[in-house]
Amino acid sequence: MLHLTKNDLILWVTHAIAHFESLGKKQKDLAHALGIEATRLSEMKTGKGTLSPNLIERITELCGAPRRNPGRFEYAELYPDLDTFFSSLLPVTENRFYRKILTMLSNSDYLDAIINHFSSNEADDLETPVSREQTIDNINSLITNKEFQSVCLNYQKHLLDSGLSWTFKWANTEKQGWNSKDKLTIENVTISDERIFHSLYLAWRLKQYVIEYEFGNERLININPTKDRTSIVMTGDRILTLQSESSVNYPINKEIEKILGSASSYKDIHSSHSPFGKQPVFSPRKQEPKPDWWGDIRCEVYLSENMNYHFLIHMTAETMEFEDQNILEYPTDLNDREPIVQPNDRIAIITNISSLELYRQVEDLRKWVGMPSDNLYKLKQKIAKAGGYVPEAIVLL
C-alpha cells in the first residue's frame, strides 16, 4: 500500500473528477470506471480512506497523472534531522576525498604517467628496460616500504599544518647540478618529480583507508559513498535564505583541515611541466584530488505544499553563481535568486523540521555558517504569507 498523505489523496481524486467533468461526465461515471462505490469516491475527495496502486494506475490510464505545484529538482544527500547532518559532515567529507583519489588512480592516463616516469628513469641505467608489470610491483613495494611510509607520515604532518610556509623536503638526494633534479630513492624506485611523489603519497593514503588497494591492479576496488544521493523535488515556497554576502572562511573548513589538511596545501598535480600535463578543462574525471574546501554556503528553508518545513544546504568551492548572473537587472534579494549547482558541489536536504523546532534550528544553521543571530522577523513574515504556522503568534480570524 502506498503511503500517500491526505493532500496527495485529494490531489489524485480531484484531478480525476475534474478530467471526467471536462468530458461532460459525472462523478458517478468515474466511480463506475474505477470499479468503486460512488460514496467511497466522495470520501476520498475529502481526504478519507486510501488509494491503492491499482487505483492510481487506473486513474493514470483514464485521466493521466495530476500536476503538482512547481518544485526544485536536485540530487541530494537526504537527512532526517539537522544533528544527523552535522555528525555526518566529516565522515562524508573524508569518503569524498578518498573517492577522488581512487578516481584519479583508476584513470589509465594517470597510471601511465606515473609508470612511464619510473620506466624512463631506470631505462638509462639498465641494458634491459624494466617491464610495466615489474614497475607496478616496484611501486606497490614502495607504498608499503617503512622508509617511504616515514616520509609520507612527515608529509602528512606538513599538510595538516596549514600555517607552514616552508616547502616540504621530500627527496633524500639533492640535485648535483643545474640540470639535475632532487630525487627520492628507495630500493628499486627513484622518484625525481614532486608531483609523482605527491601522487604516490595519495596512493599511500588510499592504502591506509582501503587495505586491499593495490596500485595498477586490474581488479578494481570500489569505495561506496558514505551517503548516497537521492533524487529530490522541493515543492512549496522558499521562505528564507541564509548566505553571507562577503567572503567567509566557514568553520567547517577548519574542521576538514584538522583531519585532511587544507586543500591549498596540496600540490597541484597539473601544470605545463607536470608529467600529468596541464589542467584539463571541463573534465570531472581529472579533477585535482584534494579535500573539500567550501568557498560559499547557502542554506534555504522551504515550506512545502503539505505545510512541512525542509532545509536545503548548498556548498560550493567557488563563489556561488546564479541563473541571472549575466542579466543587468535582477532581484537583489538572495531568496529570489536561483543558484547554479556545479558538478562537485554538495547538496544536503533535511526533511520535516518541526514547526516548534524551526527557530532554534535556523539559529543552529546561522551559527554553523558563521552568521550573527537574528530575530527571524522576515522568516515569520514569509511563513505567515505562505499560510504556515507561526509558533506563539495569535491568529486573528
Side-chain angles (χ1 to χ4, degrees), residues 90-103:
L90 292 181
V92 172
T93 297
E94 193 171 15
N95 175 264
R96 283 167 56 93
F97 173 58
Y98 287 109
R99 284 167 60 82
K100 290 177 190 176
I101 297 176
L102 181 60
T103 297

Side-chain angles (χ1 to χ4, degrees), residues 100-114:
K100 290 177 190 176
I101 297 176
L102 181 60
T103 297
M104 168 197 166
L105 294 174
S106 300
N107 182 284
S108 59
D109 293 338
Y110 285 107
L111 288 175
D112 289 344
I114 295 172

Side-chain angles (χ1 to χ4, degrees), residues 213-257:
Y213 166 74
E214 290 186 5
F215 178 88
N217 195 318
E218 293 182 359
R219 182 180 61 83
L220 297 177
I221 65 168
N222 185 37
I223 301 178
N224 293 322
T226 298
K227 187 68 177 180
D228 289 321
R229 295 195 306 165
T230 305
S231 299
I232 298 291
V233 176
M234 304 287 285
T235 63
D237 297 318
R238 184 168 59 213
I239 58 176
L240 179 70
T241 296
L242 304 176
Q243 186 176 8
S244 177
E245 296 184 7
S246 58
S247 178
V248 176
N249 188 6
Y250 296 100
I252 183 58
N253 289 331
K254 297 177 182 178
E255 294 300 314
I256 294 172
E257 289 174 7

Side-chain angles (χ1 to χ4, degrees), residues 16-186:
I17 292 172
H19 178 75
F20 260 58
E21 288 177 348
S22 70
L23 300 176
K25 297 182 180 181
K26 297 182 180 180
Q27 186 172 314
K28 65 179 182 180
D29 297 320
L30 174 61
H32 178 72
L34 295 176
I36 61 176
E37 296 292 333
T39 53
R40 183 185 170 194
L41 186 63
S42 297
E43 290 176 350
M44 287 194 293
K45 189 169 64 171
T46 64
K48 297 178 182 179
T50 58
L51 197 60
S52 69
N54 288 338
L55 276 178
I56 287 181
E57 184 177 345
R58 184 62 176 154
I59 290 175
T60 304
E61 181 183 337
L62 293 170
C63 315
R67 286 186 59 187
R68 302 189 68 91
N69 289 340
R72 173 181 172 180
F73 173 82
E74 294 294 351
Y75 292 111
E77 301 165 20
L78 199 60
Y79 296 92
D81 53 67
L82 196 57
D83 288 339
T84 302
F85 166 69
F86 286 150
S87 64
S88 300
L89 269 168
L90 292 181
V92 172
T93 297
E94 193 171 15
N95 175 264
R96 283 167 56 93
F97 173 58
Y98 287 109
R99 284 167 60 82
K100 290 177 190 176
I101 297 176
L102 181 60
T103 297
M104 168 197 166
L105 294 174
S106 300
N107 182 284
S108 59
D109 293 338
Y110 285 107
L111 288 175
D112 289 344
I114 295 172
I115 294 168
N116 291 339
H117 172 80
F118 295 109
S119 299
S120 60
N121 285 345
E122 296 186 352
D124 297 335
D125 303 325
L126 299 175
E127 294 182 2
T128 304
V130 177
S131 67
R132 179 184 178 89
E133 291 75 16
Q134 185 59 55
T135 300
I136 291 174
D137 288 343
N138 290 343
I139 293 173
N140 278 305
S141 296
L142 174 73
I143 292 173
T144 58
N145 180 279
K146 289 185 177 180
E147 184 180 351
F148 183 71
Q149 289 184 24
S150 177
V151 176
C152 288
L153 284 170
N154 289 330
Y155 187 46
Q156 183 177 15
K157 292 177 183 177
H158 169 75
L159 294 175
L160 289 174
D161 191 346
S162 57
L164 291 177
S165 58
W166 48 274
T167 302
F168 179 74
K169 187 177 180 181
W170 58 274
N172 57 12
T173 304
E174 295 184 0
K175 57 185 177 182
Q176 302 300 315
W178 66 270
N179 62 342
S180 64
K181 295 181 178 181
D182 292 337
K183 294 180 180 180
L184 175 64
T185 301
I186 297 176

Side-chain angles (χ1 to χ4, degrees), residues 298-367:
R298 177 182 170 100
C299 304
E300 302 175 348
V301 182
Y302 282 82
L303 178 58
S304 77
E305 60 182 31
N306 283 350
M307 294 293 115
N308 296 315
Y309 293 105
H310 310 293
F311 293 157
L312 185 147
I313 300 171
H314 179 183
M315 295 168 273
T316 189
E318 307 294 337
T319 301
M320 197 161 293
E321 297 182 359
F322 298 90
E323 291 182 358
D324 58 10
Q325 200 86 1
N326 298 320
I327 302 175
L328 293 178
E329 295 183 4
Y330 53 78
T332 56
D333 189 337
L334 280 172
N335 201 57
D336 294 333
R337 304 189 70 186
E338 297 299 331
I340 297 173
V341 179
Q342 305 295 343
N344 295 314
D345 289 359
R346 189 172 168 187
I347 301 286
I349 292 174
I350 294 86
T351 61
N352 298 320
I353 310 299
S354 165
S355 59
L356 298 177
E357 285 285 301
L358 178 65
Y359 298 161
R360 182 187 66 80
Q361 296 201 23
V362 167
E363 285 303 300
D364 287 344
L365 281 178
R366 281 185 176 277
K367 182 178 180 181

